[in-house]
Amino acid sequence: MTAPDAGTDDEVAPDGGTADATDTSGLTGDVSRLEESLASIERAQLIGRALLVLGIVGLLVAQTVGMTFLGFTLAEVVSQLPRFFENITDFLSPDFHFVTLYAVEQGLHGWSALFGSFANPGSLLESVLNRDQGLTIVGGAVTTIVIGITGTVLGFPLALLFGVLGSERVVPYPFNFIFRGTMSTIRSIPALVWVLIYVPLVGINPVGAMLAIGTDTVGNLGRLFTDELEEIEEGPIEAISSTGASSPQTVVFGMLSQVSSSFVAWTLYILEINVRIAVSLGVVGAGGLGQYVKGRLSLLAFDQAAAGLLMVIVIVLSVELVSSRLRARLRPGEHDGKSLVQTVQDLLDGGKWMGTGGTKK
């Protein structure tokens, strides 16, 4: 009975009692822990800043070593700047001398060659049909577009087949990975390499470019098809299966019917990319506008190369705008296509030009 009384006395003693001493001790302990926490935070911040500085220094050192390894010297760049700006000036005054065979025959230069050719519409068709007489801008532009379209159409059937068979809903795991792996392997090789692989078969020409784009389409478009099939609803599939339909009928009427619009939209998207790749393939000699621009640049005719580059921009923008509008109408809930500003910004996407990188939007 004595202990409880003593405890009661400690709690009620307000002045010289034990209660104040306990509170003071607890407050002191809280202040001490707070100071320790602040010190710990400051140490962590200091370490973080030190690591950030070390990271920046390390990055700068690695960048310097890398640039030195590549042979970069600032003095050489500075010495070449006047010539560089002189050539850039030539780009600002494009020469359309080679826009058509008519302009070449008439000796037209500058913008007058372009306007003169459009004033004679027959000269445009002549340059396309007689491109063996000389690679013109109009002939190269049509060739580039044809390479992109035919390559896409060529690769579409295999892309559809591999895309369907790569879906786990059609082919059970792990056998579907045979087709997924094939598409991944194709996608890992850029179209610029595929055109070189086909050199022994057809050489470096527009046919080789078409085969390279067709192969690239199988990997990229097929993977998009597979991803689209993985997201379809199960209800229509079960409904078709309950009628006693065979597996191919279930795939066609229960699965593909759900994604037919998306498949067309993805195909248009890949067509956009393939037109860009067709330009890049021309740089290695596979025909089209890329080959024209490379030929003008090798002759240091920068004003004529600028005319070809302007045509490249016009083609890419036109194809992307048309494709974007069509896809906007095909996709449920999507009413607006890509704007002109977005399309211009999209020109800076290097992966679409080189046929590398992911294509999933």
Side-chain angles (χ1 to χ4, degrees):
M1 297 299 291
T2 306
D5 292 338
T8 303
D9 292 342
D10 289 343
E11 291 176 0
V12 295
D15 297 326
T18 309
D20 279 353
T22 304
D23 292 342
T24 304
S25 175
L27 181 60
T28 303
D30 291 342
V31 172
S32 177
R33 285 193 292 273
L34 181 60
E35 290 176 347
E36 290 178 0
S37 298
L38 289 174
S40 177
I41 293 174
E42 290 176 352
R43 284 196 300 273
Q45 291 179 339
L46 183 61
I47 293 174
R49 293 191 188 99
L51 291 176
L52 178 61
V53 172
L54 287 176
I56 294 175
V57 172
L59 180 62
L60 291 176
V61 171
Q63 178 71 9
T64 303
V65 172
M67 294 174 69
T68 304
F69 175 76
L70 296 176
F72 173 82
T73 58
L74 183 60
E76 182 178 355
V77 172
V78 171
S79 66
Q80 293 294 327
L81 276 179
R83 186 172 182 179
F84 173 73
F85 287 122
E86 181 182 346
N87 295 336
I88 289 296
T89 304
D90 292 338
F91 274 100
L92 300 179
S93 56
D95 183 2
F96 288 89
H97 177 62
F98 289 98
V99 65
T100 60
L101 294 175
Y102 171 81
V104 176
E105 293 169 358
Q106 298 298 319
L108 301 176
H109 288 272
W111 290 96
S112 60
L114 181 64
F115 297 140
S117 297
F118 277 97
N120 296 275
S123 64
L124 303 178
L125 182 60
E126 177 193 11
S127 299
V128 175
L129 298 178
N130 301 312
R131 57 190 178 91
D132 292 338
Q133 297 182 14
L135 181 58
T136 61
I137 294 177
V138 171
V142 173
T143 302
T144 297
I145 295 174
V146 172
I147 289 174
I149 294 175
T150 55
T152 305
V153 173
L154 187 67
F156 178 83
L158 281 178
L160 181 62
L161 178 64
F162 279 67
V164 171
L165 296 179
S167 172
E168 192 174 353
R169 293 188 171 191
V170 179
V171 177
Y173 176 84
F175 300 104
N176 64 320
F177 270 85
I178 296 174
F179 304 98
R180 282 178 176 256
T182 302
M183 290 185 289
S184 297
T185 302
I186 292 174
R187 292 169 62 213
S188 65
I189 301 175
L192 279 171
V193 177
W194 279 115
V195 75
L196 299 177
I197 293 175
Y198 285 122
V199 167
L201 181 64
V202 294
I204 299 183
N205 51 38
V207 177
M210 179 189 67
L211 295 177
I213 289 178
T215 306
D216 199 56
T217 298
V218 175
N220 291 327
L221 188 58
R223 179 54 189 271
L224 293 173
F225 286 170
T226 299
D227 291 345
E228 200 70 36
L229 286 173
E230 298 294 347
E231 299 174 359
I232 60 177
E233 298 179 358
E234 194 66 30
I237 301 175
E238 294 177 352
I240 295 295
S241 300
S242 64
T243 63
S246 62
S247 296
Q249 289 174 328
T250 302
V251 171
V252 174
F253 299 106
M255 300 178 66
L256 296 183
S257 60
Q258 295 188 55
V259 294
S260 58
S261 298
S262 297
F263 275 20
V264 175
W266 282 126
T267 303
L268 291 171
Y269 175 66
I270 291 297
L271 174 62
E272 288 181 19
I273 299 175
N274 285 345
V275 172
R276 294 192 191 203
I277 296 175
V279 176
S280 301
L281 295 181
V283 176
V284 296
L289 273 176
Q291 185 172 351
Y292 169 83
V293 173
K294 180 193 175 186
R296 295 298 101 189
L297 289 175
S298 62
L299 296 174
L300 304 182
F302 299 109
D303 51 350
Q304 295 174 355
L309 291 175
L310 285 177
M311 182 60 75
V312 170
I313 294 173
V314 170
I315 288 176
V316 172
L317 290 180
S318 301
V319 172
E320 292 210 7
L321 284 175
V322 172
S323 173
S324 176
R325 294 294 173 185
L326 291 175
R327 285 188 286 120
R329 296 297 179 268
L330 290 171
R331 289 189 176 282
E334 186 175 348
H335 302 292
D336 296 324
K338 191 184 297 181
S339 67
L340 179 61
V341 175
Q342 291 172 322
T343 306
V344 172
Q345 292 175 342
D346 207 30
L347 287 174
L348 301 178
D349 189 344
K352 291 183 178 180
W353 288 98
M354 305 302 290
T356 59
T359 55
K360 183 76 173 177
K361 289 180 74 176

